[in-house]
Amino acid sequence: MTYSGRVTVGGPADVHELKDLMITKIAVGPMDNNAYLLRCRATDEQVLIDAANDAEALLGTIGDDGIASVVTTHRHGDHWQALAAVVAATGARTLAGREDAEGIPVPTDVPVDDGDIVRVGRVELTARRLVGHTPGSIALVYDDPHGHPHVFTGDCLFPGGVGNTHKDPEAFASLIHDVETKIFDVLPDETWVYPGHGDDTTLGAERPHLPEWRARGW
């Protein structure tokens, strides 16, 4: 089956099979959060991005192999509702952006800064701090050596715009700046975007609309 990135709460996961990395996307919870299970194909080590909700569904997706760590993209509660239960069941390490760690009720074992490397077995992802939706939101960039990049954006970039900055002009200016300079300016149009809610997109699909987003202020 071809990966579409379209998932629904209670429905099946969708799996994006790359040469070195397996990406399983599942939707959970009342706010239709996306959670992503990354699996290194060389070592079978797994990492979960956002234990958002429904620990039972997430643990079922993780399976008997467990996970090495859970990365929380930002401190908003809908992205960590199942974190305590998943960590208790798996013994996984916890990672989050340094500036958001204090807002997450499960202690962060590894505070993440801009440019840090997050490893999934032999696969490396680069963390990019994107300030505006929250002070310590992070995106994770996988620069696939066999193809185009992939970026997990949390709530900082969606189809149709950047994340919610609650009509705060300063927060919006910060977020659009960081998304442009750390994502759009350095990654190609083919880059696949995995957001915290809803369908996937590509940078190429969104790039023409950046001036429109700036003009409207959200």
Side-chain angles (χ1 to χ4, degrees), residues 78-123:
D78 59 307
H79 289 260
W80 48 252
Q81 291 297 309
L83 181 58
V86 168
V87 169
T90 63
R93 293 176 306 160
T94 55
L95 293 79
R98 185 178 300 275
E99 292 77 13
D100 270 17
E102 66 179 5
I104 300 169
V106 178
T108 296
D109 298 320
V110 183
V112 177
D113 294 310
D114 188 59
D116 282 357
I117 299 300
V118 175
R119 290 180 173 81
V120 186
R122 297 178 188 170
V123 171

Side-chain angles (χ1 to χ4, degrees), residues 187-204:
L187 297 173
D189 284 351
E190 296 78 16
T191 301
W192 197 277
V193 176
Y194 305 82
H197 305 262
D199 292 345
D200 299 352
T201 186
T202 65
L203 292 188

